[in-house]
Amino acid sequence: SFGWAKQEHIDRMKEMTFAVNNVLKQLFLDGGMLLVDYKLEFGLIDGRVVLGDEFSPDGCRIWDKETRKKLDKDRFRQGLGSVVEAYEEVGQRLGIQFD
């Protein structure tokens, strides 16, 4: 609406978003979780659209597939318990090893 991006850039961002969604959706499903929503931030480098963002439970909503237990920052917002424990659970379900 501001005219800050060319249509070709918007089209590329959509294409990249759908590709990222396909990977992340399956990754979380494999860990027994639903990726409810998330945000991505894009920029331009030398006229090319690039994804310039981190991905963590701080920038998305993740729920347990069966129980719908929240495993993201909403735990803090809604007083549902420890965010650190939930983030560690997400990591473990994704196969991340903690010392």
Side-chain angles (χ1 to χ4, degrees):
S1 65
F2 293 112
W4 294 344
K6 297 177 183 176
Q7 187 60 49
E8 67 191 71
H9 296 147
I10 294 169
D11 293 342
R12 180 65 180 139
M13 286 184 273
K14 286 180 182 178
E15 179 183 314
M16 292 171 76
T17 298
F18 288 125
V20 166
N21 189 62
N22 288 337
V23 170
L24 291 177
K25 183 175 157 184
Q26 190 61 53
L27 177 72
F28 283 91
L29 276 174
D30 290 347
M33 297 174 283
L34 298 173
L35 181 59
V36 178
D37 68 12
Y38 60 94
K39 66 169 187 67
L40 298 175
E41 296 176 8
F42 295 93
L44 289 176
I45 295 179
D46 296 327
R48 285 185 28 227
V49 174
V50 294
L51 178 59
D53 204 357
E54 54 85 25
F55 189 85
S56 75
D58 272 348
C60 62
R61 286 189 177 81
I62 305 165
W63 299 348
D64 179 86
K65 183 180 173 190
E66 300 300 322
T67 66
R68 303 300 197 258
K69 176 176 111 178
K70 295 179 180 185
L71 300 169
D72 53 53
K73 195 160 58 174
D74 277 347
R75 294 185 60 77
F76 170 76
R77 292 183 189 127
Q78 298 173 10
L80 300 174
S82 172
V83 174
V84 172
E85 288 173 8
Y87 289 11
E88 287 175 347
E89 181 177 340
V90 169
Q92 289 168 349
R93 289 183 182 206
L94 295 176
I96 297 170
Q97 301 295 317
F98 297 94
D99 292 333

